[in-house]
Amino acid sequence: MTASATPTRPVPRPGVMAIEPYVPGKSTAAGVAKVYKLSSNETPLGPSPKAVAAYEAMAGKLELYPDGASTALRDAIGARYGLDPSRIVCGAGSDEILSLLTHAYIGPGDEGVFSEHGFLVYKLAILGAGGVPVVAPETNLTADVDAILARVTPRTKVVFLANPNNPTGTYLPFEEVKRLHAGLPPHVLLVLDAAYAEYVRRNDYAAGIELVSTSENVVMTRTFSKIYGLALLRLGWCYAPAHVADAVNRIRGPFNVSGPAMEAGVAALADEAHVAGAVEHNERWLPWLTKEIEALGLRVTPSVGNFLLIHFPGTEGLTAKDADAFLTARGLVLRGVAAYGLPQALRLTIGTEEANRLVVDALQAFMRERQGA
């Protein structure tokens, strides 16, 4: 390196500055008395009261370090799902688990594959590890097994599959997931991101526990941020082969999960009635919103999660951006998904009955006004 080429300040390694920072869904609406935040797929039922009580009980112990092994939480997860706790790793949301897995298995020049409209964190994690993101096209906004397999090369180290997928709400039946796994070389790690698994009520769906139990190259990640309502605490976990769990534990921080989060997670798992109530609420309002919004002449991607992807015509006055501004002015905050390659769509989280009905009324007003009806 010549003197003139010597950096004058520290320079991040290649890949870091290529990352476009993740932008979360907005949560405010200026000048509106009441805001209905429907942009982050949070449960409208909130957390279990038992989880809240467990969290509050930790207030007198804030000076103590948490258990670095998350023992009680791993034991509770293991008991809930019939899993070996030693193969469970907990983290600050499933986002951290995804990043840890990526950094453990992807290095400079290695490739990570994910579907066209897959969760943005996959690309961020791959670039952050110095790897190369490889995008596989989807079919009907659904992950395509053949397209993914066609993009696997000797440089591929990880394949990410969000199932169900965010933001589309689509999913792959378990038979297709098994076909994907069967087509991968044994050195490629298949990461099944099942953040919305608890909401799915399809007979042909499985989150991936069985596949992890019988494979050496499959990991399933889960979160407490969605149906359990603990997003503020940042709590997630993965179930992995023993050798993968060992690798991740070697690079994670020694106290990466807070004590209050662990206690709230244990209590949330035990409150099965609260989870059942969230499922029941979603089962009622997901089809209702789909039907009502489609009746307005808008296309809705069929979803098995707790959210819907609404597509707008894209013509003058009827763009997703126009609709977003119209709804936001009425305190209804949805999620723009242009960063996912869907510039003419908005993602709508299933909200309270009040919020759901207000969204339909506002969309009806938007369509009438813009179409001159």
Side-chain angles (χ1 to χ4, degrees):
M1 179 180 291
T2 64
S4 60
T6 301
T8 58
R9 61 182 184 182
V11 177
R13 58 183 174 77
V16 173
M17 298 312 294
I19 296 173
E20 295 182 11
Y22 181 84
V23 179
K26 62 185 178 182
S27 59
T28 60
V32 178
K34 184 174 182 179
V35 174
Y36 299 86
K37 186 186 175 192
L38 305 170
S39 58
S40 299
N41 298 342
E42 298 153 343
T43 171
L45 273 60
S48 160
K50 295 179 181 179
V52 174
Y55 174 81
E56 291 175 342
M58 296 297 290
K61 303 178 181 180
L62 299 185
E63 76 281 8
L64 303 177
Y65 279 102
D67 170 20
S70 301
T71 306
L73 180 58
R74 290 190 298 109
D75 286 345
I77 294 169
R80 171 68 178 80
Y81 293 101
L83 307 177
D84 177 359
S86 70
R87 295 175 57 179
I88 296 170
V89 182
C90 297
S94 57
D95 289 359
E96 184 191 29
I97 299 294
L98 293 168
S99 292
L100 288 171
L101 288 165
T102 305
H103 281 267
Y105 290 94
I106 288 182
D110 293 335
E111 295 175 349
V113 181
F114 54 92
S115 64
E116 181 179 3
H117 304 297
F119 190 32
L120 290 176
V121 165
Y122 308 148
K123 181 179 180 180
L124 272 61
I126 293 166
L127 287 171
V132 179
V134 178
V135 180
E138 298 182 358
T139 300
N140 297 325
L141 298 182
T142 304
D144 185 315
V145 169
D146 294 313
I148 293 172
L149 291 175
R151 280 152 184 82
V152 173
T153 75
R155 294 184 297 277
T156 305
K157 295 298 187 292
V158 181
V159 169
F160 296 93
L161 178 68
N163 200 33
N165 185 54
N166 168 33
T168 61
T170 56
Y171 78 104
L172 284 184
F174 191 46
E175 288 302 315
E176 280 293 277
V177 176
K178 289 193 290 186
R179 187 167 73 86
L180 171 62
H181 174 248
L184 293 175
H187 74 276
V188 174
L189 185 68
L190 175 59
V191 177
L192 302 175
D193 180 355
Y196 298 92
E198 291 87 355
Y199 286 108
V200 185
R201 290 298 177 267
R202 301 294 177 90
N203 292 334
D204 60 353
Y205 173 81
I209 288 175
E210 172 190 327
L211 201 56
V212 178
S213 297
T214 58
S215 307
E216 288 294 307
N217 64 333
V218 184
V219 176
M220 177 197 66
T221 64
R222 301 287 280 270
T223 183
F224 283 87
S225 295
K226 303 306 178 186
I227 205 166
Y228 290 107
L230 301 180
L232 188 66
L233 298 184
R234 309 309 304 128
L235 188 61
W237 59 281
C238 76
Y239 176 50
H243 65 93
V244 175
D246 179 51
V248 173
N249 277 320
R250 289 171 184 267
I251 64 172
R252 69 173 177 83
F255 304 105
N256 64 323
V257 179
S258 76
M262 286 184 223
E263 293 299 318
V266 171
L269 283 168
D271 195 349
E272 295 184 25
H274 187 76
V275 173
V279 171
E280 182 181 356
H281 180 87
N282 203 63
E283 284 286 279
R284 176 186 177 189
W285 291 105
L286 180 69
W288 184 87
L289 280 165
T290 302
K291 179 181 178 181
E292 295 294 322
I293 294 171
E294 287 181 334
L296 303 176
L298 295 169
R299 181 167 62 90
V300 177
T301 298
S303 173
V304 296
N306 68 328
F307 56 90
L308 292 171
L309 190 65
I310 307 170
H311 302 267
F312 293 85
T315 54
E316 184 177 357
L318 285 169
T319 67
K321 185 176 181 180
D322 294 326
D324 190 28
F326 187 93
L327 294 167
T328 301
R330 288 153 180 77
L332 299 163
V333 179
L334 276 62
R335 177 74 150 101
V337 287
Y340 286 92
L342 298 162
Q344 293 307 329
L346 296 176
R347 192 189 67 196
L348 166 66
T349 304
I350 308 303
T352 62
E353 176 175 355
E354 179 185 20
N356 296 336
R357 293 187 182 279
L358 285 172
V359 165
V360 170
D361 290 345
L363 284 172
Q364 182 180 55
F366 171 75
M367 296 299 289
R368 283 179 175 174
E369 176 183 303
R370 300 308 169 98
Q371 292 176 328

